[in-house]
Amino acid sequence: MLARPDAYRCIECGLPYRAAGFWYHHGKIEDGAAYWSDRGILCSPQCSLAHNRKREAEGTLPQAPAPDPFQIQPLSRR
């Protein structure tokens, strides 16, 4: 059986989630990525800093923390 491609990749370097070297919250893969922004996940402190510097240079730093991309949001009923 073929492994499915990982849907999550570092937005700075392209390292796939679950790859060696990816940093996880509290060191546990089931806790999700340790770093993320409103544009996606980041694999390490180095990529997080590089992403922040890039956003600062662009003038596109977010004004509020991004929601955790691994948190399941409850569905709202209308």
Side-chain angles (χ1 to χ4, degrees):
M1 179 185 262
L2 295 174
R4 67 177 173 81
D6 214 323
Y8 296 106
R9 291 184 168 276
C10 177
I11 58 174
E12 278 300 307
C13 71
L15 184 69
Y17 190 72
R18 295 184 182 90
F22 208 102
W23 288 47
Y24 305 106
H25 192 62
H26 296 286
K28 297 183 202 170
I29 193 169
E30 59 271 11
D31 288 345
Y35 302 93
W36 65 88
S37 81
D38 57 334
R39 294 185 178 172
I41 61 172
L42 298 147
C43 69
S44 66
Q46 294 82 9
C47 281
S48 178
L49 290 170
H51 184 69
N52 189 66
R53 282 188 218 106
K54 184 188 301 183
R55 297 280 301 266
E56 188 173 38
E58 294 172 348
T60 60
L61 283 174
Q63 300 303 309
D68 184 342
F70 290 89
Q71 288 283 337
I72 297 173
Q73 300 296 322
L75 295 174
S76 61
R77 294 184 181 223
R78 293 183 189 196

Coordinates of all heavy atoms in Angstrom, one line a residue:
M1 N 0.8 -1.2 0.0 CA 0.0 0.0 0.0 C 0.9 1.2 0.0 O 1.9 1.3 0.7 CB -0.9 0.0 1.2 CG -1.8 1.2 1.3 SD -2.8 1.2 2.8 CE -4.3 0.5 2.2
L2 N 0.5 2.2 -0.8 CA 1.3 3.4 -0.9 C 1.0 4.4 0.3 O -0.2 4.5 0.7 CB 1.0 4.2 -2.2 CG 1.5 3.5 -3.4 CD1 1.0 4.2 -4.6 CD2 3.0 3.3 -3.5
A3 N 2.0 5.1 0.8 CA 1.7 6.0 1.9 C 1.1 7.3 1.2 O 1.6 7.7 0.1 CB 3.0 6.4 2.6
R4 N 0.2 7.9 1.9 CA -0.4 9.1 1.3 C 0.5 10.3 1.6 O 1.3 10.3 2.6 CB -1.8 9.4 1.9 CG -1.7 9.7 3.4 CD -3.2 10.1 3.9 NE -3.2 10.3 5.3 CZ -2.8 11.4 5.9 NH1 -2.4 12.4 5.2 NH2 -2.8 11.5 7.2
P5 N 0.6 11.2 0.7 CA 1.4 12.4 0.9 C 1.0 13.2 2.1 O -0.2 13.3 2.4 CB 1.3 13.2 -0.4 CG 0.1 12.7 -1.1 CD -0.2 11.3 -0.6
D6 N 1.9 13.8 2.8 CA 1.5 14.6 4.0 C 0.9 15.9 3.5 O 1.5 16.6 2.7 CB 2.8 14.8 4.8 CG 2.5 14.9 6.3 OD1 1.4 15.4 6.6 OD2 3.3 14.4 7.0
A7 N -0.2 16.2 4.1 CA -0.9 17.5 3.7 C -0.2 18.7 4.3 O -0.4 19.8 3.8 CB -2.3 17.4 4.2
Y8 N 0.6 18.5 5.4 CA 1.2 19.6 6.0 C 2.7 19.7 5.7 O 3.4 18.7 5.8 CB 1.0 19.6 7.6 CG -0.4 19.7 8.0 CD1 -1.1 18.6 8.4 CD2 -1.1 20.9 8.0 CE1 -2.4 18.7 8.8 CE2 -2.4 21.0 8.4 CZ -3.1 19.9 8.8 OH -4.4 20.0 9.2
R9 N 3.2 20.9 5.4 CA 4.6 21.1 5.1 C 5.0 22.4 5.7 O 4.2 23.3 5.8 CB 4.9 21.1 3.6 CG 4.7 19.8 2.9 CD 5.1 20.0 1.4 NE 5.2 18.6 0.9 CZ 6.3 17.9 0.9 NH1 7.4 18.3 1.6 NH2 6.3 16.7 0.4
C10 N 6.3 22.6 6.1 CA 6.8 23.9 6.5 C 6.6 24.9 5.4 O 7.0 24.6 4.3 CB 8.2 23.7 7.0 SG 9.0 25.3 7.5
I11 N 6.1 26.0 5.7 CA 5.9 27.1 4.7 C 7.1 27.8 4.3 O 7.2 28.5 3.3 CB 4.8 28.1 5.1 CG1 5.1 28.8 6.4 CG2 3.4 27.4 5.2 CD1 4.1 29.9 6.8
E12 N 8.2 27.6 5.1 CA 9.5 28.2 4.8 C 10.4 27.3 4.0 O 10.9 27.7 2.9 CB 10.2 28.7 6.1 CG 9.8 30.0 6.6 CD 10.0 31.2 5.6 OE1 11.1 31.3 5.1 OE2 9.0 31.9 5.4
C13 N 10.6 26.1 4.5 CA 11.6 25.2 3.8 C 11.0 24.0 3.1 O 11.6 23.3 2.3 CB 12.6 24.7 4.8 SG 12.0 23.5 6.0
G14 N 9.7 23.8 3.3 CA 9.0 22.7 2.7 C 9.1 21.3 3.3 O 8.7 20.3 2.8
L15 N 9.8 21.3 4.5 CA 9.9 20.0 5.2 C 8.6 19.4 5.6 O 7.7 20.1 6.2 CB 10.8 20.2 6.5 CG 11.1 18.9 7.3 CD1 12.1 18.1 6.5 CD2 11.7 19.3 8.6
P16 N 8.3 18.2 5.2 CA 7.0 17.6 5.5 C 6.8 17.3 7.0 O 7.8 17.0 7.7 CB 7.0 16.3 4.7 CG 8.2 16.2 4.0 CD 9.1 17.3 4.4
Y17 N 5.6 17.5 7.4 CA 5.2 17.1 8.8 C 5.5 15.6 9.0 O 5.3 14.9 8.1 CB 3.7 17.4 9.0 CG 3.2 17.3 10.4 CD1 3.5 18.3 11.3 CD2 2.4 16.2 10.8 CE1 3.1 18.2 12.6 CE2 1.9 16.1 12.1 CZ 2.3 17.1 13.0 OH 1.8 17.0 14.3
R18 N 6.0 15.2 10.1 CA 6.4 13.9 10.4 C 7.8 13.5 10.0 O 8.3 12.5 10.3 CB 5.4 12.8 9.9 CG 4.1 12.8 10.5 CD 3.2 11.7 9.9 NE 1.9 11.7 10.5 CZ 0.9 12.4 9.9 NH1 1.0 13.0 8.8 NH2 -0.3 12.4 10.5
A19 N 8.5 14.4 9.2 CA 9.9 14.2 8.8 C 10.8 14.3 10.0 O 10.5 15.1 10.9 CB 10.2 15.1 7.7
A20 N 12.0 13.7 9.9 CA 13.0 13.9 10.9 C 13.4 15.3 11.0 O 13.6 16.0 9.9 CB 14.2 13.0 10.6
G21 N 13.5 15.9 12.1 CA 13.9 17.3 12.3 C 12.7 18.2 12.5 O 12.9 19.4 12.8
F22 N 11.5 17.8 12.3 CA 10.3 18.6 12.5 C 10.1 18.7 14.0 O 10.1 17.8 14.7 CB 9.1 18.0 11.8 CG 8.0 19.0 11.4 CD1 8.0 19.4 10.1 CD2 7.2 19.6 12.3 CE1 7.0 20.3 9.7 CE2 6.3 20.5 12.0 CZ 6.2 20.9 10.6
W23 N 9.8 19.9 14.5 CA 9.6 20.2 15.9 C 8.1 20.1 16.3 O 7.3 20.7 15.6 CB 10.1 21.5 16.3 CG 11.6 21.7 16.4 CD1 12.5 21.2 15.4 CD2 12.4 22.2 17.4 NE1 13.8 21.5 15.8 CE2 13.7 22.2 17.0 CE3 12.1 22.9 18.6 CZ2 14.8 22.6 17.8 CZ3 13.1 23.3 19.4 CH2 14.4 23.2 19.0
Y24 N 7.8 19.4 17.3 CA 6.4 19.2 17.7 C 6.2 19.8 19.1 O 7.1 19.9 19.9 CB 6.0 17.7 17.8 CG 6.3 17.0 16.5 CD1 7.4 16.1 16.4 CD2 5.5 17.2 15.4 CE1 7.6 15.5 15.2 CE2 5.8 16.6 14.2 CZ 6.8 15.8 14.1 OH 7.1 15.2 12.9
H25 N 4.9 20.3 19.4 CA 4.6 20.9 20.6 C 4.8 19.8 21.7 O 4.3 18.7 21.7 CB 3.1 21.3 20.6 CG 2.7 22.2 21.7 ND1 3.3 23.4 21.9 CD2 1.8 22.0 22.7 CE1 2.7 24.0 23.0 NE2 1.8 23.1 23.5
H26 N 5.6 20.2 22.7 CA 6.0 19.3 23.8 C 6.7 18.1 23.3 O 6.7 17.0 24.0 CB 4.8 18.9 24.7 CG 4.1 20.0 25.4 ND1 4.7 20.7 26.5 CD2 3.0 20.7 25.2 CE1 3.9 21.6 26.9 NE2 2.9 21.7 26.1
G27 N 7.2 18.1 22.1 CA 8.0 17.0 21.6 C 7.1 15.8 21.1 O 7.7 14.7 20.8
K28 N 5.8 15.9 21.1 CA 4.9 14.8 20.7 C 4.2 15.1 19.4 O 3.6 16.2 19.3 CB 3.8 14.6 21.8 CG 4.4 14.2 23.2 CD 3.2 14.0 24.1 CE 3.6 14.1 25.5 NZ 2.4 14.1 26.4
I29 N 4.3 14.2 18.5 CA 3.7 14.4 17.2 C 2.2 14.6 17.3 O 1.6 15.4 16.6 CB 4.1 13.3 16.2 CG1 3.7 13.6 14.8 CG2 3.4 12.0 16.7 CD1 4.2 12.7 13.7
E30 N 1.6 13.9 18.3 CA 0.1 14.0 18.4 C -0.3 15.4 18.9 O -1.5 15.8 18.9 CB -0.4 12.9 19.3 CG 0.1 12.9 20.7 CD 1.4 12.0 20.8 OE1 2.0 11.6 19.8 OE2 1.8 11.8 22.0
D31 N 0.6 16.2 19.5 CA 0.3 17.5 19.9 C 0.4 18.6 18.8 O 0.1 19.8 19.0 CB 1.2 18.0 21.1 CG 0.9 17.2 22.4 OD1 -0.1 16.6 22.5 OD2 1.8 17.2 23.3
G32 N 0.8 18.2 17.6 CA 0.9 19.1 16.5 C 2.2 19.9 16.4 O 3.1 19.6 17.2
A33 N 2.3 20.8 15.5 CA 3.5 21.5 15.3 C 3.8 22.5 16.4 O 2.9 23.0 17.0 CB 3.4 22.3 13.9
A34 N 5.1 22.7 16.7 CA 5.4 23.6 17.8 C 5.3 25.1 17.3 O 5.2 26.0 18.1 CB 6.9 23.3 18.2
Y35 N 5.4 25.3 16.0 CA 5.4 26.7 15.4 C 4.4 26.8 14.3 O 4.4 25.8 13.4 CB 6.8 27.0 14.9 CG 7.9 27.0 16.0 CD1 8.6 25.8 16.2 CD2 8.1 28.0 16.9 CE1 9.6 25.7 17.2 CE2 9.0 28.0 17.9 CZ 9.8 26.8 18.0 OH 10.7 26.7 19.0
W36 N 3.7 27.9 14.2 CA 2.8 28.1 13.1 C 2.5 29.6 13.0 O 2.8 30.4 13.9 CB 1.5 27.3 13.2 CG 0.6 27.7 14.4 CD1 -0.3 28.7 14.4 CD2 0.7 27.2 15.7 NE1 -0.9 28.8 15.7 CE2 -0.3 27.9 16.5 CE3 1.4 26.2 16.3 CZ2 -0.5 27.6 17.8 CZ3 1.2 25.9 17.7 CH2 0.2 26.6 18.4
S37 N 2.0 30.0 11.9 CA 1.5 31.3 11.6 C 0.2 31.3 11.0 O -0.4 30.2 10.7 CB 2.5 32.1 10.8 OG 2.4 31.8 9.4
D38 N -0.4 32.5 10.6 CA -1.6 32.5 9.9 C -1.5 32.0 8.5 O -2.5 31.7 7.9 CB -2.2 33.9 9.9 CG -1.3 34.9 9.3 OD1 0.0 34.7 9.3 OD2 -1.8 36.0 8.8
R39 N -0.3 31.8 8.0 CA -0.1 31.2 6.7 C 0.2 29.7 6.6 O 0.2 29.1 5.6 CB 1.0 32.0 6.0 CG 0.7 33.4 5.7 CD 1.8 34.1 5.0 NE 1.4 35.5 4.7 CZ 2.2 36.4 4.2 NH1 3.4 36.0 3.8 NH2 1.8 37.6 4.0
G40 N 0.4 29.1 7.8 CA 0.7 27.7 7.8 C 1.7 27.3 8.9 O 2.0 28.1 9.8
I41 N 2.2 26.1 8.9 CA 3.0 25.6 10.0 C 4.5 25.8 9.6 O 4.9 25.9 8.4 CB 2.8 24.1 10.3 CG1 3.0 23.2 9.1 CG2 1.3 23.9 10.8 CD1 2.9 21.7 9.4
L42 N 5.3 25.8 10.6 CA 6.8 26.0 10.5 C 7.4 24.8 11.2 O 7.0 24.4 12.3 CB 7.2 27.3 11.1 CG 6.5 28.5 10.3 CD1 6.2 29.7 11.3 CD2 7.4 28.9 9.2
C43 N 8.5 24.3 10.7 CA 9.1 23.1 11.2 C 10.1 23.3 12.4 O 10.4 22.4 13.1 CB 9.9 22.4 10.1 SG 11.3 23.2 9.5
S44 N 10.6 24.5 12.6 CA 11.7 24.7 13.6 C 11.8 26.2 14.0 O 11.2 27.0 13.4 CB 13.0 24.3 13.0 OG 13.4 25.2 11.9
P45 N 12.5 26.4 15.1 CA 12.7 27.8 15.5 C 13.4 28.6 14.4 O 13.1 29.8 14.2 CB 13.6 27.7 16.7 CG 13.5 26.3 17.2 CD 13.1 25.5 16.0
Q46 N 14.3 28.0 13.6 CA 15.0 28.7 12.6 C 14.0 29.1 11.5 O 14.1 30.3 11.0 CB 16.1 27.8 11.9 CG 17.2 27.5 12.9 CD 16.9 26.3 13.8 OE1 15.9 25.6 13.7 NE2 17.8 26.1 14.8
C47 N 13.1 28.3 11.1 CA 12.1 28.6 10.0 C 11.2 29.7 10.6 O 10.7 30.6 9.9 CB 11.4 27.4 9.5 SG 12.4 26.5 8.3
S48 N 10.8 29.6 11.9 CA 9.9 30.5 12.5 C 10.5 31.9 12.5 O 9.9 32.9 12.1 CB 9.6 30.1 13.9 OG 8.8 31.0 14.5
L49 N 11.8 32.0 12.8 CA 12.5 33.3 12.8 C 12.6 33.8 11.4 O 12.4 35.0 11.1 CB 13.9 33.2 13.5 CG 13.8 33.0 15.0 CD1 15.2 32.6 15.5 CD2 13.3 34.2 15.7
A50 N 13.0 33.0 10.4 CA 13.1 33.4 9.0 C 11.8 33.9 8.5 O 11.7 34.9 7.8 CB 13.6 32.3 8.2
H51 N 10.7 33.2 8.8 CA 9.3 33.6 8.4 C 9.0 35.0 9.0 O 8.5 35.9 8.3 CB 8.3 32.6 8.8 CG 6.9 32.8 8.3 ND1 6.6 32.8 7.0 CD2 5.8 33.2 9.0 CE1 5.3 33.1 6.9 NE2 4.8 33.3 8.1
N52 N 9.3 35.2 10.3 CA 9.0 36.4 11.0 C 9.8 37.6 10.3 O 9.2 38.7 10.1 CB 9.3 36.3 12.4 CG 8.8 37.6 13.2 OD1 7.6 37.8 13.3 ND2 9.7 38.3 13.7
R53 N 11.1 37.4 10.0 CA 11.9 38.4 9.4 C 11.3 38.8 8.0 O 11.2 39.9 7.6 CB 13.3 37.9 9.2 CG 14.1 38.1 10.5 CD 15.6 37.8 10.3 NE 16.1 37.0 11.5 CZ 16.4 35.7 11.5 NH1 16.3 35.0 10.4 NH2 16.8 35.2 12.6
K54 N 10.9 37.7 7.3 CA 10.3 38.0 5.9 C 9.0 38.8 6.0 O 8.8 39.7 5.3 CB 10.1 36.6 5.2 CG 9.6 36.8 3.8 CD 9.1 35.5 3.2 CE 10.1 34.4 3.1 NZ 9.7 33.2 2.5
R55 N 8.2 38.4 6.9 CA 6.9 39.1 7.1 C 7.1 40.5 7.6 O 6.4 41.5 7.2 CB 6.0 38.4 8.1 CG 5.6 37.0 7.8 CD 4.4 36.9 6.8 NE 3.2 37.5 7.2 CZ 2.2 36.9 7.8 NH1 2.3 35.6 8.2 NH2 1.1 37.5 8.1
E56 N 8.1 40.7 8.5 CA 8.4 42.1 8.9 C 8.9 42.9 7.8 O 8.5 44.1 7.6 CB 9.5 42.0 10.0 CG 9.8 43.3 10.7 CD 10.7 43.2 11.9 OE1 11.7 42.4 11.8 OE2 10.5 43.8 12.9
A57 N 9.8 42.4 6.9 CA 10.2 43.1 5.7 C 9.1 43.5 4.8 O 9.1 44.5 4.2 CB 11.3 42.3 5.0
E58 N 8.1 42.6 4.6 CA 7.0 42.8 3.8 C 6.0 43.7 4.4 O 5.1 44.3 3.7 CB 6.2 41.5 3.5 CG 7.0 40.4 2.7 CD 6.3 39.1 2.7 OE1 5.3 38.9 3.4 OE2 6.7 38.2 1.9
G59 N 6.0 43.9 5.7 CA 5.0 44.7 6.4 C 3.7 44.0 6.6 O 2.7 44.6 6.7
T60 N 3.8 42.6 6.7 CA 2.6 41.8 6.8 C 2.5 41.0 8.1 O 1.9 40.0 8.1 CB 2.5 40.8 5.6 OG1 3.7 40.0 5.6 CG2 2.4 41.6 4.2
L61 N 3.2 41.5 9.1 CA 3.1 40.8 10.4 C 1.7 40.8 10.9 O 1.0 41.8 10.8 CB 4.0 41.4 11.4 CG 5.5 41.1 11.3 CD1 6.3 42.0 12.3 CD2 5.8 39.7 11.5
P62 N 1.2 39.6 11.4 CA -0.2 39.6 11.9 C -0.3 40.4 13.2 O 0.6 40.6 13.9 CB -0.4 38.1 12.2 CG 0.9 37.5 12.2 CD 1.9 38.3 11.5
Q63 N -1.5 40.9 13.4 CA -1.8 41.7 14.6 C -2.2 40.9 15.8 O -2.3 41.5 16.9 CB -2.8 42.8 14.2 CG -2.4 43.7 13.1 CD -1.1 44.4 13.4 OE1 -1.0 45.0 14.5 NE2 -0.1 44.4 12.5
A64 N -2.6 39.7 15.6 CA -3.0 38.8 16.7 C -2.4 37.4 16.4 O -2.1 37.1 15.3 CB -4.5 38.8 16.7
P65 N -2.3 36.6 17.5 CA -1.8 35.2 17.3 C -2.7 34.4 16.4 O -3.9 34.6 16.4 CB -1.8 34.6 18.7 CG -1.9 35.8 19.6 CD -2.6 36.9 18.9
A66 N -2.1 33.6 15.5 CA -2.9 32.7 14.6 C -3.5 31.6 15.4 O -2.9 31.1 16.4 CB -2.0 32.2 13.5
P67 N -4.7 31.1 15.1 CA -5.2 30.0 15.8 C -4.4 28.7 15.5 O -3.8 28.6 14.4 CB -6.7 29.9 15.2 CG -6.6 30.6 13.9 CD -5.5 31.6 14.0
D68 N -4.4 27.8 16.4 CA -3.7 26.5 16.3 C -4.3 25.8 15.1 O -5.5 25.4 15.1 CB -3.8 25.7 17.6 CG -3.0 24.5 17.5 OD1 -2.6 24.0 16.5 OD2 -2.7 23.9 18.6
P69 N -3.5 25.5 14.1 CA -4.1 24.7 12.9 C -4.5 23.3 13.2 O -5.2 22.7 12.4 CB -3.0 24.8 11.9 CG -1.7 24.9 12.7 CD -2.1 25.7 13.9
F70 N -4.1 22.8 14.3 CA -4.4 21.4 14.7 C -5.6 21.3 15.6 O -6.0 20.2 16.0 CB -3.2 20.7 15.2 CG -2.1 20.4 14.2 CD1 -1.2 21.4 13.9 CD2 -2.2 19.3 13.4 CE1 -0.2 21.2 12.9 CE2 -1.2 19.1 12.4 CZ -0.2 20.0 12.2
Q71 N -6.1 22.4 16.1 CA -7.3 22.4 16.9 C -8.5 22.2 16.1 O -8.7 22.9 15.1 CB -7.4 23.7 17.7 CG -6.4 23.9 18.8 CD -6.8 23.1 20.0 OE1 -7.9 22.7 20.2 NE2 -5.8 22.8 20.8
I72 N -9.4 21.3 16.4 CA -10.6 21.1 15.7 C -11.7 22.1 16.2 O -11.9 22.2 17.4 CB -11.2 19.7 15.9 CG1 -10.1 18.7 15.3 CG2 -12.5 19.5 15.2 CD1 -10.4 17.3 15.5
Q73 N -12.1 23.0 15.3 CA -13.1 24.0 15.7 C -14.5 23.3 15.7 O -14.9 22.7 14.7 CB -13.1 25.1 14.7 CG -11.8 25.8 14.6 CD -11.4 26.5 15.9 OE1 -12.2 27.0 16.6 NE2 -10.1 26.4 16.3
P74 N -15.3 23.6 16.7 CA -16.7 23.0 16.7 C -17.5 23.7 15.6 O -17.3 24.8 15.4 CB -17.2 23.4 18.1 CG -16.3 24.4 18.6 CD -15.0 24.3 17.9
L75 N -18.4 22.9 15.1 CA -19.2 23.4 14.0 C -20.3 24.2 14.7 O -20.9 23.9 15.7 CB -19.9 22.3 13.2 CG -18.9 21.4 12.4 CD1 -19.7 20.2 11.8 CD2 -18.3 22.2 11.3
S76 N -20.6 25.4 14.1 CA -21.7 26.2 14.6 C -23.0 25.9 13.9 O -22.9 25.6 12.7 CB -21.3 27.7 14.5 OG -21.2 28.0 13.1
R77 N -24.0 26.0 14.6 CA -25.4 25.7 13.9 C -26.0 27.0 13.7 O -26.0 27.9 14.4 CB -26.2 24.8 14.9 CG -25.6 23.5 15.0 CD -26.5 22.6 15.8 NE -25.9 21.3 16.0 CZ -26.5 20.2 15.9 NH1 -27.8 20.2 15.6 NH2 -25.9 19.0 16.0
R78 N -26.7 27.0 12.5 CA -27.5 28.2 12.2 C -28.9 28.1 12.5 O -29.5 27.2 12.5 CB -27.3 28.5 10.7 CG -25.9 28.9 10.4 CD -25.7 29.2 9.0 NE -24.3 29.3 8.7 CZ -23.9 29.9 7.6 NH1 -24.7 30.4 6.7 NH2 -22.6 29.9 7.4

